[in-house]
Amino acid sequence: MKILLVEDDRKIGQFVKKGLEEVSCGTTWARSCQEARAAVADGQFDVVVLDIGLPDGNGLQLLTEWRDKKLAAPVLILSARHEVDDKIAGLNLGADDYLTKPFSFGELLARLRSLVRRHSGQKKTVLERRDLRLDLLAHEVSLAGKRVELTQREFALLEFFLQNPARVLTRTQIAEKIWDCHFDMETNLVDVYVAKLRSKLRRNGETEPLFQSVRGVGYKLA
Ligand code: CA
């Protein structure tokens, strides 16, 4: 479990960080909004522990920014304030849980574990790459915010690419996944369908194609 701890109080920060490391949780400790922003820009976390009162701003402001940017990690608000307002505001802004100081380390750990468990059980329903977006529930695809109509096969092919971004997919892998076939002679179907996707998902004045050919092997979603 990788944790981002955003807390300016030295004692609380040390207490939480030490406790988390004792149970083998990698912990990055940010002491200000600025440090927290840098940490999020730099790495991926399974869960964020977020204090509200920070020296250079407010934790709720950070939360708003992250949710706007679609930060996926669950957030637990750590608040010294007893006002119900802050808790409600935090939950409305997309926090997943909160804990009021003072708290026991055991309770914090139990809640973090439960958040991560709950969160990892959720299957991603929206796949994104650059300005390309595929919504599995709505069965919709858009490029730069514009809806693109795809056939079932094209949709399945795009989904496969989006699940494996920046990885070379061989013609055989694609053929097996999309057509459930293993015959070499069928793999030119792959070229035909990739060409269809390319033409439907072309941007004006595009220099780098979305689907790159890897000679003699297959394709890669750039
Ligand atoms: Ca504080």
Side-chain angles (χ1 to χ4, degrees), residues 71-200:
L71 175 87
V75 173
L76 179 142
I77 287 183
L78 214 51
S79 172
R81 306 172 188 190
H82 296 270
E83 291 91 349
V84 177
D85 286 356
D86 274 338
K87 292 174 189 168
I88 294 173
L91 294 172
N92 280 338
L93 289 171
D96 300 87
D97 201 357
Y98 65 84
L99 204 52
T100 307
K101 297 173 196 171
F103 55 89
S104 76
F105 180 75
E107 177 161 21
L108 174 67
L109 184 62
R111 293 211 191 189
L112 293 179
R113 284 186 167 147
S114 144
L115 276 181
V116 171
R117 216 172 23 241
R118 252 162 48 200
H119 199 255
S120 61
Q122 290 167 4
K123 190 178 178 277
K124 258 188 154 179
T125 58
V126 173
L127 302 171
E128 286 176 296
R129 181 85 177 160
R130 299 200 284 186
D131 52 359
L132 185 60
R133 186 172 191 279
L134 182 147
D135 187 328
L136 286 164
L137 291 181
H139 209 79
E140 280 176 8
V141 171
S142 65
L143 181 69
K146 271 183 152 172
R147 180 94 180 263
V148 180
E149 295 299 334
L150 297 183
T151 64
Q152 292 284 343
R153 290 264 198 239
E154 291 163 356
F155 189 91
L157 180 58
L158 181 61
E159 182 187 345
F160 190 41
F161 273 115
L162 284 166
Q163 279 167 344
N164 298 280
R167 252 187 69 193
V168 178
L169 301 173
T170 67
R171 286 188 177 76
T172 310
Q173 281 175 327
I174 297 172
E176 284 182 5
K177 177 82 183 175
I178 310 300
W179 287 274
D180 202 21
C181 69
H182 309 265
F183 307 108
D184 275 350
M185 57 180 295
E186 298 292 334
T187 56
N188 71 337
L189 259 182
V190 172
D191 299 321
V192 171
Y193 272 83
V194 170
K196 285 185 185 185
L197 274 188
R198 269 186 181 153
S199 87
K200 287 192 178 180

Side-chain angles (χ1 to χ4, degrees), residues 7-9 51 53-54 101:
E7 170 62 77
D8 62 315
D9 186 289
D51 179 32
L54 293 163
K101 297 173 196 171

